[in-house]
Amino acid sequence: MPKLAGDAPSRRRFLKTSGTLAAMIPLVNLVGCAEESKPAAPAEAAPQQTPADTAAGAAREAMQDRTATPAAPADAAPAQAAPPQAAPAQKMAKLEESDPQAQALGYKHDVGSVDTASYARYQSGQLCENCGLYLAAQGGEAGWGGCSIFPGKLVNAKGWCNAYVPAA
């Protein structure tokens, strides 16, 4: 294949320029890292930043923003240590069978009133008290406890819903 007259010098120039730029990338990162370790100078004696310094700093800040956990606003409420279902028992109300979520899952206070035609998953012996989602420690009175499916509500230990999972 014949060479064109202007082809070789422009290819060489391109490779030389791109190689030089590629070699400068680590240097720009080193300059950015060195700036972090320097003590802050007074505002009136701030040195002029070059475009390379600005780009490196912006890239470093963007990376830190992606990896850092966001700070909570000063007026934000403190983060809860426990999920909502871990609320104190005295503040939890009993789940009503008329609750929309309870109706959707076929919750009944008494397993004897479970509609086995509609909920074929029900098997004899399945009770809230032997379900893996039942939280007996949250019960405010005997026979009632919390449930992971119904946070903030108490369910009857002798009840059942379609979310039943055997306790491990």
Side-chain angles (χ1 to χ4, degrees):
M1 177 166 261
K3 288 187 176 181
L4 299 175
D7 196 23
S10 64
R11 189 178 311 147
R12 275 191 212 122
R13 187 176 32 238
F14 170 76
L15 292 173
K16 186 177 180 181
T17 305
S18 61
T20 304
L21 291 174
M24 290 180 61
I25 291 172
L27 296 175
V28 170
N29 287 334
L30 287 175
V31 169
C33 292
E35 287 179 6
E36 288 181 2
S37 63
K38 291 180 185 176
E44 64 271 0
Q48 291 289 331
Q49 287 188 340
T50 65
D53 292 341
T54 306
R60 188 173 51 256
E61 288 176 15
M63 181 59 78
Q64 288 173 347
D65 288 345
R66 283 184 287 206
T67 59
T69 53
D75 59 344
Q80 287 183 317
Q85 65 265 24
Q90 65 271 18
K91 293 185 180 181
M92 295 173 65
K94 292 180 181 177
L95 178 66
E96 297 294 328
E97 290 181 4
S98 60
D99 182 276
Q101 186 178 5
Q103 287 180 341
L105 291 172
Y107 171 79
K108 297 294 180 184
H109 291 303
D110 178 23
V111 293
S113 60
V114 173
D115 181 9
T116 56
S118 297
Y119 298 101
R121 274 193 72 223
Y122 173 74
Q123 295 178 0
S124 181
Q126 292 180 344
L127 300 168
C128 288
E129 68 185 354
N130 62 23
C131 176
L133 304 171
Y134 185 69
L135 306 166
Q138 291 182 1
E141 63 182 79
W144 292 82
C147 177
S148 297
I149 299 297
F150 305 106
K153 304 281 181 156
L154 295 173
V155 296
N156 193 322
K158 303 297 180 193
W160 182 88
C161 83
N162 202 33
Y164 177 85
V165 177

